[in-house]
Amino acid sequence: MSENYVYYQGELVKEDDVKISVRSKAFNYGLGVFEGIRAYWDDEEEQLYGFKLKEHYERLKQSAKTVNLNFDLTVDDLCRGTVELLKKNNCRQTTYIRPIVYNDAQDIGPTLDVKDVKVVIYTQPLNKYAGKPELSVGVTSWRRLSNNQLPPRTKATAAYMNSALAALETKRAGFDEAIFLTNGDNVCEGSGENIFIFKKGKLITPPPSDNILEGITRELVMKLAREEMGLEVLERSISRSELYVADEVFFSGTAMEVTPIVEVDHRTIGNGHEGEVCKQIKKLFFGLTTGRNPKYTESCTPVYEK
Ligand code: PMP
């Protein structure tokens, strides 16, 4: 028995009251799109802040539109529902928020032309996602899906079989995480995060045309690097061997936040420890997730009335 509530079809209901059939197409074929969002707890203020809720729900609506899982709830409805849910669950620590839009039709066949679209959101405490402060990663032999296979800018549940295969392979080989290449041999992203390299004073990250998910953290990292650190930031293709000789490599993502990579395919990156650029971006990032940087308060939605 769970005491938790979930947001289901526009209402807050007990988590145990939501049932999903073994026949659901979401379960049978992975026909769904989802998001991963964080809410950051501020101990001093005793306040929880939903982080970039609007951006995540805009991406969710776009994912749903792309795969024909349209639904009526607006971005505003979803933002409001999320705040209500966090409150109802009395979330008083950093929390992960998982919205899923799924095809709940129950006839046989992987079809998307249906009206039976459901929307559910659940919450879960999540402090650190990366198992370690510094990661050793390996390039996986699995390739990232391309735009004409399963559009990567769509955060589709089915695409995470691809991520799971990559993570399985690289974890078995002793690495902490995987890096995907594209079908065209360029560096793409991790199994659930975007990647950056720093080389000769420039911050470089693969462009959307290299089949990445257009990460919300990635966008923020680029903005912080440009506006707060005065760095030149390039979105351009990166080749595998460029990773080996980069001065710094790091991941960005909602769950992964900003996490340094100190080894790629057993090659030491820089001096084998977190680099200065990553360190500074991390500091800027964690300095704004709870509304403490006036320039970025719009990104932070307070949950509790004060
Ligand atoms: N790429 C993939 C495949 C992901 O699953 C994620 C996590 N959503 C990211 C990148 C990072 O995106 P964001 O910063 O929006 O969480």
Side-chain angles (χ1 to χ4, degrees), residues 57-111:
Y57 286 121
E58 278 169 357
R59 187 169 68 187
L60 184 70
K61 292 287 280 187
Q62 286 184 15
S63 293
K65 177 181 179 184
T66 304
V67 301
N68 208 39
L69 287 176
N70 293 304
F71 59 98
D72 289 337
L73 294 163
T74 63
V75 168
D76 273 355
D77 294 334
L78 294 163
C79 290
R80 261 197 308 273
T82 300
V83 168
E84 290 312 309
L85 177 65
L86 289 164
K87 229 185 285 181
K88 187 83 179 172
N89 283 337
N90 196 27
C91 297
R92 291 184 174 272
Q93 57 186 305
T94 294
T95 300
Y96 197 67
I97 302 155
R98 167 55 50 81
I100 312 175
V101 178
Y102 60 99
N103 180 346
D104 203 25
Q106 298 181 11
D107 53 306
I108 295 288
T111 50

Coordinates of all heavy atoms in Angstrom, one line a residue, residues 57-111:
Y57 N 7.4 20.7 -19.7 CA 6.0 20.3 -20.3 C 5.9 20.8 -21.7 O 5.1 20.2 -22.4 CB 5.0 20.9 -19.3 CG 4.9 20.0 -18.1 CD1 5.1 20.5 -16.8 CD2 4.6 18.6 -18.2 CE1 5.1 19.7 -15.7 CE2 4.6 17.8 -17.1 CZ 4.8 18.3 -15.8 OH 4.8 17.5 -14.7
E58 N 6.6 21.8 -22.1 CA 6.6 22.2 -23.5 C 7.2 21.0 -24.3 O 6.7 20.7 -25.4 CB 7.3 23.5 -23.8 CG 6.4 24.7 -23.4 CD 7.1 26.0 -23.4 OE1 8.4 26.1 -23.6 OE2 6.4 27.0 -23.2
R59 N 8.3 20.5 -23.8 CA 8.9 19.4 -24.6 C 8.0 18.2 -24.6 O 7.9 17.5 -25.6 CB 10.3 19.0 -24.0 CG 11.0 18.0 -24.8 CD 12.5 17.8 -24.3 NE 12.6 17.2 -23.0 CZ 13.7 17.1 -22.3 NH1 14.9 17.5 -22.9 NH2 13.7 16.6 -21.1
L60 N 7.3 17.9 -23.5 CA 6.4 16.8 -23.4 C 5.3 16.9 -24.5 O 4.9 16.0 -25.2 CB 5.7 16.7 -22.0 CG 4.8 15.5 -21.8 CD1 5.7 14.2 -21.8 CD2 4.0 15.6 -20.5
K61 N 4.7 18.1 -24.6 CA 3.7 18.4 -25.6 C 4.2 18.2 -27.0 O 3.5 17.6 -27.9 CB 3.1 19.8 -25.5 CG 2.4 20.1 -24.2 CD 1.0 19.5 -24.1 CE -0.1 20.3 -24.9 NZ -1.4 19.7 -24.7
Q62 N 5.4 18.6 -27.2 CA 6.0 18.4 -28.6 C 6.3 16.9 -28.9 O 6.1 16.5 -30.0 CB 7.3 19.2 -28.7 CG 7.0 20.7 -28.8 CD 8.2 21.5 -29.0 OE1 9.3 21.0 -29.3 NE2 8.1 22.8 -28.8
S63 N 6.8 16.2 -27.8 CA 7.0 14.8 -28.0 C 5.7 14.1 -28.4 O 5.6 13.3 -29.3 CB 7.5 14.2 -26.7 OG 8.8 14.6 -26.4
A64 N 4.6 14.5 -27.6 CA 3.3 13.8 -27.8 C 2.8 14.1 -29.2 O 2.2 13.3 -29.9 CB 2.3 14.3 -26.8
K65 N 3.0 15.4 -29.6 CA 2.5 15.8 -31.0 C 3.2 15.0 -32.1 O 2.6 14.5 -33.0 CB 2.8 17.3 -31.1 CG 2.4 17.8 -32.5 CD 2.7 19.3 -32.6 CE 2.4 19.8 -34.0 NZ 2.8 21.3 -34.1
T66 N 4.5 14.8 -31.9 CA 5.3 14.2 -32.9 C 4.8 12.7 -33.1 O 4.8 12.2 -34.2 CB 6.8 14.2 -32.5 OG1 7.2 15.5 -32.3 CG2 7.7 13.5 -33.6
V67 N 4.5 12.0 -32.0 CA 4.1 10.6 -32.1 C 2.6 10.4 -32.1 O 2.1 9.3 -31.9 CB 4.8 9.7 -31.1 CG1 6.3 9.8 -31.2 CG2 4.3 10.1 -29.7
N68 N 1.8 11.5 -32.3 CA 0.4 11.5 -32.4 C -0.3 11.0 -31.1 O -1.3 10.3 -31.1 CB 0.0 10.6 -33.6 CG -1.4 11.0 -34.1 OD1 -1.7 12.2 -34.2 ND2 -2.2 10.0 -34.5
L69 N 0.3 11.3 -29.9 CA -0.4 11.0 -28.7 C -0.9 12.3 -28.0 O -0.5 12.7 -26.9 CB 0.6 10.3 -27.7 CG 1.0 8.9 -28.0 CD1 2.1 8.4 -27.0 CD2 -0.2 8.0 -27.9
N70 N -1.7 13.1 -28.8 CA -2.1 14.4 -28.4 C -3.1 14.3 -27.2 O -3.9 13.3 -27.1 CB -2.8 15.1 -29.5 CG -1.8 15.5 -30.6 OD1 -0.8 16.1 -30.3 ND2 -2.0 15.0 -31.8
F71 N -3.0 15.3 -26.3 CA -3.9 15.3 -25.2 C -4.3 16.7 -24.9 O -3.6 17.7 -25.3 CB -3.3 14.6 -23.9 CG -2.0 15.2 -23.5 CD1 -1.9 16.1 -22.5 CD2 -0.8 14.9 -24.2 CE1 -0.7 16.7 -22.1 CE2 0.4 15.5 -23.8 CZ 0.4 16.4 -22.7
D72 N -5.4 16.9 -24.1 CA -5.9 18.3 -24.0 C -5.3 19.1 -22.9 O -5.3 20.3 -22.9 CB -7.4 18.2 -23.7 CG -8.2 17.8 -24.9 OD1 -7.7 18.0 -26.0 OD2 -9.3 17.2 -24.7
L73 N -4.7 18.5 -21.9 CA -4.1 19.3 -20.8 C -3.1 20.3 -21.3 O -2.2 19.9 -22.2 CB -3.4 18.4 -19.7 CG -4.4 17.5 -19.0 CD1 -3.6 16.3 -18.3 CD2 -5.2 18.3 -17.9
T74 N -3.1 21.5 -20.8 CA -2.1 22.5 -21.3 C -0.8 22.5 -20.5 O -0.8 21.9 -19.4 CB -2.7 23.9 -21.2 OG1 -2.9 24.2 -19.8 CG2 -4.0 24.0 -22.0
V75 N 0.2 23.2 -21.0 CA 1.4 23.3 -20.2 C 1.1 23.9 -18.8 O 1.6 23.4 -17.8 CB 2.4 24.2 -21.0 CG1 3.6 24.6 -20.1 CG2 2.9 23.4 -22.2
D76 N 0.2 24.9 -18.8 CA -0.2 25.5 -17.5 C -0.9 24.5 -16.6 O -0.6 24.5 -15.4 CB -1.1 26.7 -17.7 CG -0.4 28.0 -18.0 OD1 0.9 27.9 -17.9 OD2 -1.0 29.0 -18.3
D77 N -1.8 23.7 -17.1 CA -2.5 22.7 -16.3 C -1.4 21.7 -15.7 O -1.5 21.4 -14.5 CB -3.4 21.8 -17.2 CG -4.5 22.5 -17.8 OD1 -5.0 23.5 -17.2 OD2 -5.0 22.1 -18.9
L78 N -0.4 21.3 -16.5 CA 0.5 20.4 -16.1 C 1.5 21.0 -15.0 O 1.8 20.3 -14.0 CB 1.4 19.8 -17.2 CG 0.5 19.0 -18.3 CD1 1.3 18.9 -19.6 CD2 0.2 17.6 -17.7
C79 N 1.8 22.2 -15.2 CA 2.7 22.9 -14.2 C 1.9 23.0 -12.9 O 2.5 22.7 -11.8 CB 3.1 24.3 -14.6 SG 4.3 24.3 -16.0
R80 N 0.6 23.5 -13.0 CA -0.2 23.6 -11.7 C -0.4 22.2 -11.1 O -0.2 22.1 -9.9 CB -1.5 24.2 -12.1 CG -1.6 25.7 -11.8 CD -3.1 26.2 -11.8 NE -3.8 25.7 -13.0 CZ -3.9 26.4 -14.1 NH1 -3.2 27.6 -14.2 NH2 -4.5 26.0 -15.1
G81 N -0.7 21.2 -11.9 CA -0.9 19.9 -11.4 C 0.3 19.3 -10.6 O 0.2 18.7 -9.6
T82 N 1.5 19.7 -11.2 CA 2.7 19.2 -10.6 C 3.0 19.8 -9.2 O 3.3 19.1 -8.3 CB 3.9 19.5 -11.5 OG1 3.7 18.8 -12.8 CG2 5.2 19.0 -11.0
V83 N 2.7 21.1 -9.1 CA 2.9 21.8 -7.8 C 1.9 21.2 -6.8 O 2.3 20.9 -5.7 CB 2.7 23.3 -8.0 CG1 2.6 24.0 -6.7 CG2 3.8 23.9 -8.8
E84 N 0.7 21.0 -7.2 CA -0.3 20.4 -6.3 C 0.1 19.0 -5.9 O -0.1 18.6 -4.7 CB -1.7 20.4 -7.0 CG -2.4 21.7 -7.2 CD -2.3 22.6 -6.0 OE1 -2.7 22.1 -4.9 OE2 -1.8 23.8 -6.1
L85 N 0.6 18.2 -6.8 CA 1.0 16.9 -6.5 C 2.2 16.9 -5.5 O 2.2 16.1 -4.5 CB 1.5 16.1 -7.8 CG 2.0 14.7 -7.6 CD1 0.9 13.8 -7.1 CD2 2.5 14.2 -8.9
L86 N 3.2 17.7 -5.7 CA 4.3 17.8 -4.8 C 3.9 18.2 -3.4 O 4.3 17.6 -2.4 CB 5.3 18.8 -5.3 CG 6.1 18.4 -6.6 CD1 6.8 19.6 -7.2 CD2 7.2 17.3 -6.3
K87 N 2.9 19.1 -3.3 CA 2.3 19.5 -2.1 C 1.6 18.4 -1.4 O 1.7 18.1 -0.2 CB 1.4 20.7 -2.3 CG 1.6 21.9 -1.4 CD 0.6 23.0 -1.6 CE 0.8 23.7 -2.9 NZ -0.2 24.8 -3.1
K88 N 0.7 17.7 -2.2 CA -0.1 16.6 -1.7 C 0.8 15.5 -1.1 O 0.5 14.9 -0.1 CB -1.0 16.1 -2.8 CG -2.0 15.0 -2.4 CD -3.2 15.7 -1.8 CE -4.3 14.7 -1.4 NZ -5.4 15.3 -0.7
N89 N 1.9 15.2 -1.8 CA 2.8 14.2 -1.3 C 3.8 14.7 -0.2 O 4.6 13.9 0.2 CB 3.6 13.6 -2.5 CG 2.8 12.6 -3.3 OD1 1.8 12.1 -2.8 ND2 3.1 12.4 -4.6
N90 N 3.6 15.9 0.2 CA 4.4 16.5 1.2 C 5.9 16.3 0.9 O 6.7 15.9 1.8 CB 4.0 16.0 2.6 CG 4.5 16.9 3.7 OD1 4.7 18.1 3.5 ND2 4.8 16.3 4.8
C91 N 6.3 16.6 -0.3 CA 7.7 16.4 -0.7 C 8.6 17.4 -0.1 O 8.4 18.6 -0.3 CB 7.8 16.4 -2.3 SG 6.9 15.1 -3.1
R92 N 9.5 17.0 0.8 CA 10.3 17.9 1.5 C 11.8 17.5 1.4 O 12.6 17.5 2.3 CB 9.9 18.0 3.0 CG 8.6 18.7 3.1 CD 8.1 18.9 4.5 NE 6.9 19.7 4.4 CZ 6.8 21.0 4.4 NH1 7.9 21.8 4.5 NH2 5.7 21.7 4.3
Q93 N 12.1 17.1 0.2 CA 13.5 16.8 -0.2 C 13.6 16.9 -1.7 O 12.5 17.0 -2.4 CB 13.9 15.4 0.3 CG 13.0 14.3 -0.2 CD 13.4 13.0 0.4 OE1 14.5 12.6 0.3 NE2 12.4 12.3 1.0
T94 N 14.8 16.9 -2.3 CA 14.9 17.0 -3.7 C 14.2 15.8 -4.3 O 14.4 14.6 -3.9 CB 16.4 17.1 -4.1 OG1 16.8 18.4 -3.6 CG2 16.6 17.1 -5.6
T95 N 13.4 16.1 -5.3 CA 12.4 15.1 -5.8 C 12.5 15.0 -7.3 O 12.7 16.0 -8.0 CB 11.0 15.5 -5.4 OG1 11.0 15.6 -3.9 CG2 9.9 14.5 -5.9
Y96 N 12.3 13.8 -7.8 CA 12.2 13.6 -9.3 C 10.8 13.5 -9.6 O 10.0 12.9 -8.9 CB 12.9 12.3 -9.6 CG 13.3 12.1 -11.1 CD1 14.2 12.9 -11.7 CD2 12.7 11.1 -11.8 CE1 14.5 12.7 -13.0 CE2 13.0 10.9 -13.2 CZ 13.9 11.7 -13.8 OH 14.2 11.6 -15.1
I97 N 10.4 14.1 -10.8 CA 9.0 14.1 -11.2 C 8.9 13.4 -12.5 O 9.7 13.8 -13.5 CB 8.5 15.5 -11.3 CG1 8.7 16.3 -10.0 CG2 7.1 15.6 -11.8 CD1 8.8 17.8 -10.1
R98 N 8.1 12.4 -12.7 CA 8.0 11.6 -13.9 C 6.6 11.7 -14.5 O 5.7 11.0 -14.1 CB 8.4 10.2 -13.6 CG 8.1 9.1 -14.6 CD 8.8 9.4 -16.0 NE 10.2 9.7 -16.0 CZ 11.2 8.9 -15.9 NH1 11.0 7.6 -15.8 NH2 12.4 9.3 -16.0
P99 N 6.4 12.6 -15.5 CA 5.2 12.6 -16.3 C 5.3 11.6 -17.4 O 6.3 11.5 -18.1 CB 5.1 14.0 -16.8 CG 6.3 14.7 -16.3 CD 7.3 13.7 -15.9
I100 N 4.2 10.8 -17.7 CA 4.2 9.9 -18.8 C 2.8 10.1 -19.5 O 1.8 10.2 -18.9 CB 4.2 8.4 -18.3 CG1 5.4 8.2 -17.4 CG2 4.4 7.5 -19.6 CD1 5.4 6.8 -16.8
V101 N 2.9 10.2 -20.8 CA 1.7 10.2 -21.7 C 1.8 8.9 -22.5 O 2.8 8.6 -23.1 CB 1.8 11.4 -22.7 CG1 0.6 11.4 -23.6 CG2 2.0 12.7 -21.9
Y102 N 0.7 8.1 -22.4 CA 0.8 6.8 -23.0 C -0.5 6.4 -23.7 O -1.6 6.9 -23.4 CB 1.2 5.8 -21.9 CG 0.3 5.6 -20.7 CD1 -0.6 4.6 -20.7 CD2 0.4 6.5 -19.7 CE1 -1.5 4.4 -19.6 CE2 -0.4 6.3 -18.5 CZ -1.4 5.3 -18.5 OH -2.2 5.2 -17.4
N103 N -0.3 5.5 -24.6 CA -1.4 4.9 -25.3 C -2.0 3.7 -24.5 O -1.3 2.7 -24.4 CB -0.9 4.5 -26.7 CG -1.9 3.9 -27.6 OD1 -3.0 3.5 -27.1 ND2 -1.6 3.7 -28.8
D104 N -3.2 3.9 -24.0 CA -3.8 2.9 -23.1 C -4.8 2.0 -23.8 O -5.6 1.3 -23.2 CB -4.4 3.6 -21.9 CG -4.5 2.6 -20.7 OD1 -3.7 1.6 -20.7 OD2 -5.3 2.8 -19.8
A105 N -4.9 2.1 -25.2 CA -5.8 1.2 -25.9 C -5.4 -0.2 -25.7 O -4.2 -0.5 -25.5 CB -5.8 1.6 -27.4
Q106 N -6.3 -1.1 -25.8 CA -6.0 -2.5 -25.4 C -6.2 -3.6 -26.5 O -6.2 -4.8 -26.2 CB -6.8 -2.8 -24.2 CG -6.4 -1.9 -23.1 CD -7.0 -2.1 -21.7 OE1 -7.7 -3.1 -21.5 NE2 -6.8 -1.1 -20.8
D107 N -6.4 -3.1 -27.7 CA -6.5 -4.1 -28.8 C -5.1 -4.4 -29.3 O -4.1 -3.7 -29.0 CB -7.4 -3.6 -29.9 CG -6.9 -2.2 -30.4 OD1 -6.8 -1.3 -29.6 OD2 -6.6 -2.0 -31.6
I108 N -5.0 -5.5 -30.0 CA -3.7 -6.0 -30.5 C -3.2 -5.1 -31.7 O -4.0 -4.8 -32.5 CB -3.8 -7.5 -30.9 CG1 -4.1 -8.4 -29.7 CG2 -2.5 -7.9 -31.7 CD1 -2.9 -8.5 -28.8
G109 N -1.9 -4.8 -31.7 CA -1.3 -4.0 -32.8 C -0.8 -2.7 -32.3 O -1.4 -2.0 -31.5
P110 N 0.4 -2.4 -32.8 CA 1.1 -1.1 -32.4 C 0.6 0.1 -33.1 O 1.3 0.6 -34.0 CB 2.6 -1.4 -32.7 CG 2.5 -2.3 -33.9 CD 1.2 -3.1 -33.8
T111 N -0.6 0.6 -32.8 CA -1.2 1.7 -33.5 C -1.2 2.9 -32.7 O -1.3 2.9 -31.4 CB -2.7 1.4 -33.9 OG1 -3.3 0.9 -32.8 CG2 -2.7 0.3 -35.0

